[in-house]
Amino acid sequence: MRETWKEMFAFFQGYYNNGLIIFLYMASLLIIMLLGREKLRKLIGWPTLVIMFLVYNPFFYRYIWQKCFHYGYWRVFWLFPVVIVVSVAVLIVVDRIKQPKRQGIFLLIILILICGNSKNVFSKQLFYTNTQNIYKLPQEAIDVSDALLQLDTEPKVVMCSQLYSYVRQYSTDIKMMYGRNIEGYIDGWNERTAEMASNLQQLEKADWGRVGELMKQEQYKYIVIPQNENCSEEYMKQFSFILLKQVDGYDIFEILY
Amino acid sequence: MWLTSIILGILLLGILPIMLGDRIWKEIYREQNDTLSQIIGRYLVGTIVMWAIFQIIAVPLILVKASFSMAVILWEISIFSTLLLQSVWKVKKHRHMYSHICIKTHRSKTEKLLFVLMCAVIICQCVACVIGTQYDEDDARFVVNALEAFDHDSMLLINPATGEYVGTWVGELAKDVPSPWTFYIALIAKILNVHPTIIAHTILPGILVAMAYGCYWLMAERIFKKNFSYCCMFVLIIAVINMHFTNSEQTQAVFLLTRIWQGKAVVAGVMLPFLCYLMMLLYQLKTKKYIYYLVFLTDIACCLLSGMGIFLSAIVIGSLGLYIAIIQKKLDVLLKVALSCIPTILYGIVYIIF
């Protein structure tokens, strides 16, 4: 039982990360149950407690949530109506403050507290970045894709890890030896692709002879790697790689059969 | 060409949902509503209808490995038929029902100020989602699947990571068999003739975020009995919390505002609040028949979005349905709510098998 609580708490901490919001949520639930009218308790308070009982319950966790969701148990926390409960509780308190000016001040204080809780989701230090194009993909991915499509209508490419998640979101005419599956997603990897990926992890130490062999075996004609002084045009010629284009800090090589 | 896409986009994503949601909304809401709630309610219900119809059509077609174009054609025929059906479906008149959309023009200064503030925050969020960029590597599967359907007319038969034709559902693609939200994006792309990546990353986010706040607005009306100021404050507080509920990457708010085009984010940000709203309706309104139909359709729509949607929708419907049955001492509520979860059972079986 202790193990179960520990696991659940780890997910809980990972989700709320000791933020102010969880304390606000608990306080709000208390406010609704103690200060809210009976109709509000029946509409918001008790259903919230029902959901919390179902979600944060060691028995259900062990025999239902873990079996259904595995590592994704934290997604069940989406069922907690955090934003609804906090908002309702704030308005219960506002309702009790009769003077409009004081209501406004209280509301302002709460909003400032919420804003101070953690960073704004739209701030560039968190999730968002500069938009470079209407596809909202890295511009290098689009430029490299366009360059490849100029060379071939359906180019078969070994793509570097910086771009392989994005290139096929622009054009599915580009075929790749591996993409995100090399990280264990989608359909996983095989020995061939694992060997290729490990060679390209550190370009200075790559066995280009073996890379060329694997490409020829699988009939992949092009390889895209970040520009690197250890992989100059002259050096790569030794392994039958011809530099075709340089695009946005990436080199496109063709293997000669 | 862009002009045609824009006009089609306004029709498909703006007017069509309102038309589709009209009859069901009128049946459920026999009380007077102001204009905003009428439009929001119809829009949300109509969108649910569109998603539910696509889910019903797409999953069997995926199972028999049919082409994507077949799904598009069948969906268009179904939507057209639904519109025709609605035109002959006469809504029973109730003595308190207003068939026209009424407009309340008299609002106090405070109400207007709060309304403007609320709209400003929501519009800023929608615009930020449209013009801002957030890279998510899960799109290497979701968005690429949509693009494969758009380009090569194939559903889940091509490995999205490599482009290799495999002829069956490999690895994680099996999860998309009962939840083909990615092909709904491709459907919109096909009809509007716009690249699916643009639809997913640039066009849908603004609409879906607005839908989420539409759910909260309708919820506010149920909680605060149409006290306009309180409704505005309720939604405003939620909007501010959502912007700062960034304690981790896993929160509902982060999914809503950073990757809303993904099915699981729509479940978290739009569908769960909408289901909570439906359960509030079930609790408060006396005439429940059409609410059960809407719960059933919403359950189907949740199954379209994600594997999480299949199970989380049933948990919300089941647990809150049980609560309502006990509180109101009406056991038939439990039976009807259980019937509303039939889609979860059917698509859940497909999910488990694959």
Side-chain angles (χ1 to χ4, degrees), chain A residues 42 128 131 136 168-169, chain B residues 130-131 148 197 244 257 323:
Chain A
K42 282 186 178 175
Y128 275 83
T131 300
K136 294 196 193 170
R168 297 196 83 246
Q169 289 184 54
Chain B
V130 169
I131 65 175
E148 286 286 3
T197 307
H244 293 90
L257 296 176
Y323 169 78

Side-chain angles (χ1 to χ4, degrees), chain A residues 131-156:
Chain A
T131 300
Q132 298 170 303
N133 50 69
I134 198 170
Y135 300 90
K136 294 196 193 170
L137 297 170
Q139 190 59 42
E140 311 87 73
I142 292 178
D143 293 339
V144 164
S145 302
D146 283 337
L148 285 166
L149 290 168
Q150 280 173 2
L151 295 168
D152 212 320
T153 48
E154 283 196 0
K156 290 186 75 173

Side-chain angles (χ1 to χ4, degrees), chain B residues 19-277:
Chain B
M19 289 170 66
L20 282 169
D22 182 63
R23 286 289 180 258
I24 298 179
W25 184 256
K26 274 185 182 164
E27 287 289 356
I28 289 172
Y29 249 112
R30 296 174 173 208
E31 308 164 8
Q32 185 180 344
N33 276 130
D34 61 30
T35 312
L36 185 61
S37 307
Q38 296 255 7
I39 294 171
I40 291 172
R42 280 169 167 81
Y43 188 88
L44 285 169
V45 172
T47 305
I48 298 285
V49 168
M50 288 163 69
W51 292 353
I53 289 173
F54 186 76
Q55 172 71 351
I56 292 166
I57 289 167
V59 174
L61 288 178
I62 290 170
L63 288 171
V64 299
K65 301 180 184 176
S67 68
F68 172 65
S69 324
M70 175 95 64
V72 175
I73 292 166
L74 286 176
W75 184 84
E76 287 171 342
I77 293 170
S78 306
I79 293 293
F80 183 67
S81 310
T82 308
L83 283 171
L84 269 178
L85 197 69
Q86 284 199 132
S87 67
V88 300
W89 173 11
K90 285 190 167 41
V91 177
K92 284 183 192 167
K93 283 198 178 154
H94 190 275
R95 63 192 169 108
H96 293 305
M97 193 187 85
Y98 291 81
S99 58
H100 60 277
I101 292 175
C102 65
I103 299 169
K104 279 210 178 121
T105 50
H106 172 67
R107 294 273 176 222
S108 69
K109 267 188 187 169
T110 311
E111 285 177 335
K112 283 180 188 169
L113 175 66
L114 285 168
F115 182 73
V116 165
L117 258 173
M118 176 194 78
C119 289
V121 173
I122 291 170
I123 288 170
C124 283
Q125 288 188 12
C126 293
V127 168
C129 288
V130 169
I131 65 175
T133 293
Q134 198 277 123
Y135 299 135
D136 191 272
E137 288 174 348
D138 282 350
D139 288 347
R141 176 173 130 227
F142 300 130
V143 174
V144 175
N145 275 334
L147 189 54
E148 286 286 3
F150 183 82
D151 281 344
H152 301 120
D153 208 26
S154 157
M155 295 195 286
L156 299 179
L157 301 178
I158 296 175
N159 188 327
T162 62
E164 184 193 346
Y165 179 84
V166 280
T168 190
W169 317 294
V170 292
E172 290 184 334
L173 294 187
K175 285 198 253 180
D176 296 332
V177 172
S179 303
W181 167 248
T182 184
F183 302 120
Y184 187 81
I185 295 176
L187 173 119
I188 298 174
K190 200 74 175 177
I191 294 172
L192 303 189
N193 197 23
V194 172
H195 197 284
T197 307
I198 298 174
I199 298 285
H201 289 170
T202 307
I203 294 173
L204 277 184
I207 296 171
L208 292 168
V209 169
M211 279 175 63
Y213 289 111
C215 297
Y216 289 122
W217 176 263
L218 294 177
M219 214 184 280
E221 285 203 319
R222 300 313 314 168
I223 299 170
F224 300 108
K225 296 294 175 206
K226 295 170 200 147
N227 181 324
F228 193 78
S229 303
Y230 277 56
C231 291
C232 293
M233 283 192 282
F234 176 79
V235 179
L236 177 62
I237 294 167
I238 286 177
V240 174
I241 295 174
N242 277 340
M243 277 200 293
H244 293 90
F245 193 174
T246 54
N247 306 80
S248 72
E249 284 183 352
Q250 301 170 342
T251 67
Q252 202 172 9
V254 166
F255 271 71
L256 171 69
L257 296 176
T258 64
R259 32 152 128 180
I260 189 61
W261 61 88
Q262 293 177 0
K264 53 183 177 277
V266 184
V267 171
V270 182
M271 298 309 280
L272 290 180
F274 188 67
L275 272 172
C276 289
Y277 167 68

Side-chain angles (χ1 to χ4, degrees), chain B residues 305-320:
Chain B
L305 293 162
S306 158
M308 292 301 301
I310 296 174
F311 299 109
L312 289 183
S313 59
I315 295 165
V316 172
I317 297 168
S319 58
L320 297 183

Side-chain angles (χ1 to χ4, degrees), chain A residues 58-76:
Chain A
F59 178 80
F60 287 130
Y61 171 78
R62 189 55 74 195
Y63 296 108
I64 301 175
W65 308 137
Q66 225 189 7
K67 291 193 189 307
C68 288
F69 304 121
H70 309 291
Y71 59 87
Y73 167 65
W74 55 267
R75 292 178 189 183
V76 195

Side-chain angles (χ1 to χ4, degrees), chain A residues 197-215:
Chain A
S198 92
N199 260 303
L200 298 186
Q201 256 180 355
Q202 282 185 291
L203 295 177
E204 308 80 34
K205 295 180 184 173
D207 179 353
W208 291 108
R210 182 63 183 147
V211 168
E213 250 178 65
L214 286 169
M215 283 179 68

